[in-house]
Amino acid sequence: MGIGGRVGDYAFKAFTATLGATTLYLTATFSVNLYRGFVWHNSQTVRSFGTLFCVNSCEILYSLTYDCGL
């Protein structure tokens, strides 16, 4: 195998290593953003005195188990 073949092998290994690192990074950041989205969504709903107030709608809902559907 000549020098050209070795250079190609190293280029392929570098390329696949970069793809692997990028995949791991995107997976981690997606998970973090998904968690932050759930936290943000849950913070939009305020519970007070047995009544559920949906911040983004002007309705007062009288059930703690009702989903706002936001």
Side-chain angles (χ1 to χ4, degrees):
M1 182 184 256
I3 291 181
R6 273 189 255 153
V7 170
D9 287 343
Y10 289 130
F12 179 74
K13 288 179 182 181
F15 176 71
T16 55
T18 302
L19 283 179
T22 302
T23 302
L24 292 174
Y25 172 77
L26 290 176
T27 301
T29 56
F30 175 76
S31 300
V32 169
N33 286 329
L34 187 66
Y35 173 75
R36 287 180 180 172
F38 283 136
V39 169
W40 176 85
H41 178 73
N42 288 335
S43 70
Q44 300 303 305
T45 303
V46 179
R47 296 176 193 266
S48 174
F49 301 110
T51 304
L52 181 65
F53 296 96
C54 290
V55 176
N56 290 335
S57 65
C58 296
E59 301 173 351
I60 299 175
L61 305 172
Y62 294 101
S63 173
L64 288 175
T65 58
Y66 186 79
D67 184 13
C68 293
L70 300 175

